[in-house]
Amino acid sequence: MSYFITTPIYYVNDAPHIGHAYTTIACDIVSRYNKIDDDDTFFLTGTDEHGQKVEKAALMQKKNPQDFVNEMSKNFRDLIPFLGCEINDFIRTTEQRHINAAQALWKKLDENNQIYLSNYEGWYSVRDEAFYQESELQKIDGKFFTEDGSPVEWIKEESYFFKLSEWQDKLIEYYEQYQRPIYPETRYNEVLSFVKGGLKDLSISRTTFRWGVPVPNNKNHVMYVWIDALCNYLTAIGYPDTNNSNFKKYWPGVHVVGKDILRFHAVYWPAFLMAADLEPPKKIFAHGWWTNEGQKISKSLGNVIDPYEIINEYGLDQIRYFLFREVPFGKDGNFSKQSIATRVNADLSNTYGNLIQRICTFVVKNCESKIMPSNNLTEEDKALEEAIESSVISYRYNMGEMNLDSSLKGIMVLLNEANAYVDSQAPWKLKTTDPDRMKVVLYMVLNIIIKSSIMLYPFIPQSAEKALSYFNISKDKISFNNFSLLIKNEIKINNPEPLFPRFEL
Ligand code: MSP
């Protein structure tokens, strides 16, 4: 199977922060999961470099927009390996391949009679790069603002329009046919009621600034930054050549986005695609927003979380784990240092790391560093084996649905069972009373540790790889294909090092 997963492309008006890191890591987790499931996976991210917001930011710094975006895009590019993410392509909307693709998409829409020239008059938020109806705004001290507090300005200019109003029925059909492609369900319902409420044609070009992809055949217009940006997903797999092997293999893709940009992805984007005779997205997952110690993250409040700082302080896998265990994917979450330390100590240090440490050390010391598989299982062992099987099944279901927190919770439940089993079986006592039984018990626990490490791998790749190396399982063996084979033969064990030192609370 092939799988194409994308992050939104990030605006380069400012430095990357924890919100950007969150989306990229989410996609890395799903991409790694699919890769170890032997799917042919393509993971795309990149930067959104056109539009008024970016142009303004360049002007503020008295820089030429191209030099400015080159510099800023690099910050996002460099962050990826630091986040432990393995991508397949990084796209920039100022690249020629993208300009060609965006113009080709425009021409196709035009050919299909989906675009017309008229005048736009209404509210626009540069911060959101979005048009607003007055009914969506609030008036404070005589000025209008969006619900999230973005200022808006009144614009009046000649503009091309996309005939979005004609796509209402087709969009509803798409949602039904693709069996609710929008997750989570609450967001799906919001999108559906928005579409059912009726759609207005969408302004898709601007004339009052130049920093954008030129509209084919009319030099006075640049494309509205959202049609330009959304097209990146097509560019990266070779559009407009829809016969190339990547396009055939990977389209349609799965888009992961923040809740704030769901409408662009779940309404405008599928409509553009269908209007250009292309298949709409396979799935769209909308995640929630992070606050910092209860407050909205914003530059003006000075509480932006720098991914470099937080990862240097707590560790990469610790932060990756925290972000996806702490909050159900799709819900808003609150970032606090206290919660990171508490969560990491409880789950990664005590439940997972400590179990590995004590079992491996015990086997090295008392069993010549190796354990043979055993069939001599008691009823209790068999029940534990069943618990392992069902835990793997529900993990895989949850990963497919992007219920990332539930996947992690399930692994921790299993590891807690393993810890309770060790305590009740007390292998240190069996050492003298029943050494054969002791080996069966250790085998059972190793089975859980190895399988849990593989399930944890997409979330905490460096630590899981390290843990698996204690059992002489190398990275290329991390797969669901040979999952059971890994524990079919003698398991040789190396002396472990502590994986997750505890944080002082
Ligand atoms: N450029 C557009 C996307 C175009 S995709 C064709 C854009 N860029 S952005 O840089 O403003 O935001 C990118 C992503 O970061 C969005 O999905 C947004 O939800 C996410 N986040 C920004 N701040 C966030 C938090 N505080 N918390 C979680 N995610 C947040 O929108």
Side-chain angles (χ1 to χ4, degrees):
M1 275 247 297
S2 52
Y3 193 88
F4 180 35
I5 183 158
T6 70
T7 72
I9 47 170
Y10 303 107
Y11 285 129
V12 289
N13 59 306
D14 218 332
H17 61 66
I18 199 73
H20 305 124
Y22 182 59
T23 324
T24 307
I25 298 172
C27 292
D28 185 64
I29 290 168
V30 176
S31 162
R32 281 178 190 269
Y33 169 75
N34 282 289
K35 283 177 184 161
I36 65 169
D37 202 14
D38 289 333
D39 276 349
D40 179 347
T41 305
F42 192 103
F43 170 16
L44 174 71
T45 187
T47 43
D48 190 352
E49 306 186 5
H50 289 130
Q52 231 176 332
K53 166 149 107 171
V54 172
E55 188 185 55
K56 275 191 173 173
L59 290 177
M60 289 274 284
Q61 294 198 16
K62 299 196 171 48
K63 285 188 178 144
N64 152 300
Q66 189 62 56
D67 294 341
F68 175 74
V69 297
N70 290 347
E71 211 176 281
M72 299 298 280
S73 172
K74 194 172 175 303
N75 297 334
F76 285 87
R77 181 76 189 81
D78 291 348
L79 179 64
I80 293 163
F82 188 77
L83 300 176
C85 296
E86 281 178 354
I87 60 168
N88 295 88
D89 196 359
F90 185 91
I91 187 154
R92 300 183 51 194
T93 53
T94 51
E95 286 174 77
Q96 195 57 47
R97 61 171 173 159
H98 177 70
I99 293 166
N100 296 343
Q103 290 183 328
L105 179 67
W106 182 286
K107 282 186 194 150
K108 183 75 187 168
L109 292 172
D110 197 20
E111 253 170 54
N112 287 358
N113 192 26
Q114 294 294 322
I115 292 178
Y116 62 93
L117 187 62
S118 183
N119 288 294
Y120 178 80
E121 187 170 358
W123 294 107
Y124 190 77
S125 155
V126 176
R127 194 198 280 175
D128 302 350
E129 294 284 19
F131 302 94
Y132 286 93
Q133 305 287 324
E134 198 154 304
S135 56
E136 295 172 294
L137 304 172
Q138 45 181 338
K139 205 171 182 182
I140 304 169
D141 295 337
K143 282 193 176 152
F144 284 98
F145 294 88
T146 69
E147 217 178 272
D148 289 333
S150 302
V152 288
E153 56 193 57
W154 186 259
I155 61 170
K156 188 177 174 185
E157 59 194 58
E158 186 182 75
S159 174
Y160 284 95
F161 282 79
F162 170 68
K163 295 180 182 170
L164 183 65
S165 57
E166 293 182 1
W167 287 91
Q168 181 180 15
D169 292 345
K170 281 272 184 301
L171 280 169
I172 294 171
E173 238 171 70
Y174 153 60
Y175 302 146
E176 280 163 7
Q177 233 177 38
Y178 279 60
Q179 291 163 0
R180 304 171 163 236
I182 301 153
Y183 293 73
E185 204 177 335
T186 47
R187 299 276 168 218
Y188 171 72
N189 293 334
E190 277 170 29
V191 168
L192 193 63
S193 74
F194 173 75
V195 173
K196 283 187 172 162
L199 298 170
K200 282 195 166 31
D201 290 349
L202 182 72
S203 162
I204 52 164
S205 75
R206 303 289 313 272
T207 52
T208 43
F209 67 98
R210 303 308 312 148
W211 187 238
V213 176
V215 164
N217 306 324
N218 190 340
K219 291 200 166 53
N220 295 331
H221 291 246
V222 292
M223 288 185 199
Y224 170 41
V225 66
W226 269 100
I227 184 167
D228 160 359
L230 287 161
C231 183
N232 90 86
Y233 305 132
L234 297 175
T235 311
I237 50 168
Y239 188 82
D241 175 11
T242 50
N243 282 321
N244 86 74
S245 61
N246 269 358
F247 199 91
K248 283 189 162 160
K249 210 166 26 170
Y250 295 119
W251 193 256
V254 172
H255 304 308
V256 179
V257 300
K259 62 179 184 180
D260 53 318
I261 56 171
L262 181 59
R263 190 180 293 180
F264 298 95
H265 284 83
V267 181
Y268 307 157
W269 184 225
F272 291 152
L273 288 164
M274 292 189 286
D277 305 323
L278 294 166
E279 254 191 271
K282 202 187 275 176
K283 278 183 184 168
I284 305 153
F285 288 97
H287 65 69
W289 268 48
W290 284 92
T291 50
N292 185 1
E293 311 279 352
Q295 275 191 313
K296 189 179 170 184
I297 297 178
S298 92
K299 213 175 158 189
S300 51
L301 287 174
N303 65 352
V304 174
I305 300 162
D306 175 353
Y308 287 99
E309 265 174 37
I310 202 80
I311 288 173
N312 283 334
E313 188 172 349
Y314 287 94
L316 173 60
D317 284 344
Q318 285 85 342
I319 293 295
R320 285 178 64 117
Y321 181 85
F322 168 78
L323 289 175
F324 294 94
R325 170 63 186 85
E326 194 67 8
V327 177
F329 197 66
K331 294 246 162 71
D332 291 344
N334 183 35
F335 201 90
S336 92
K337 291 192 169 181
Q338 173 77 28
S339 327
I340 301 173
T342 310
R343 179 63 70 191
V344 169
N345 282 355
D347 292 5
L348 294 179
S349 309
N350 294 355
T351 305
Y352 178 56
N354 204 18
L355 179 68
I356 297 181
Q357 190 71 23
R358 62 180 179 146
I359 292 301
C360 289
T361 313
F362 188 87
V363 174
V364 168
K365 208 160 147 202
N366 300 297
C367 313
E368 296 170 339
S369 304
K370 55 182 193 263
I371 289 290
M372 285 301 284
S374 170
N375 289 323
N376 206 359
L377 306 185
T378 62
E379 285 311 306
E380 196 179 345
D381 301 341
K382 284 183 192 152
L384 189 57
E385 259 198 341
E386 270 171 34
I388 303 173
E389 287 314 305
S390 66
S391 167
V392 173
I393 292 169
S394 61
Y395 165 84
R396 301 197 67 177
Y397 168 80
N398 281 322
M399 291 301 280
E401 299 282 299
M402 246 181 141
N403 294 332
L404 302 179
D405 66 308
S406 306
S407 303
L408 289 174
K409 267 187 215 155
I411 303 171
M412 287 303 140
V413 168
L414 182 64
L415 286 165
N416 276 328
E417 277 185 56
N419 277 304
Y421 175 82
V422 173
D423 292 344
S424 70
Q425 299 290 325
W428 51 92
K429 283 190 194 148
L430 294 169
K431 196 165 72 173
T432 43
T433 56
D434 189 350
D436 285 343
R437 174 71 195 145
M438 172 190 79
K439 286 185 182 160
V440 177
V441 168
L442 293 169
Y443 165 71
M444 290 297 300
V445 182
L446 288 174
N447 184 354
I448 295 183
I449 293 176
I450 290 173
K451 288 181 175 163
S452 299
S453 299
I454 293 177
M455 293 194 281
L456 282 169
Y457 165 79
F459 295 89
I460 52 167
Q462 291 180 356
S463 311
E465 243 185 275
K466 201 163 166 197
L468 288 163
S469 77
Y470 302 153
F471 312 104
N472 293 293
I473 297 172
S474 54
K475 189 184 173 193
D476 55 303
K477 297 237 169 55
I478 302 178
S479 151
F480 288 111
N481 246 355
N482 58 1
F483 208 46
S484 294
L485 290 180
L486 293 173
I487 49 138
K488 277 254 149 47
N489 298 313
E490 182 183 76
I491 306 169
K492 288 206 186 86
I493 288 163
N494 301 319
N495 234 333
E497 285 162 27
L499 283 173
F500 297 101
R502 284 177 60 84
F503 293 114
E504 292 297 325
L505 287 178

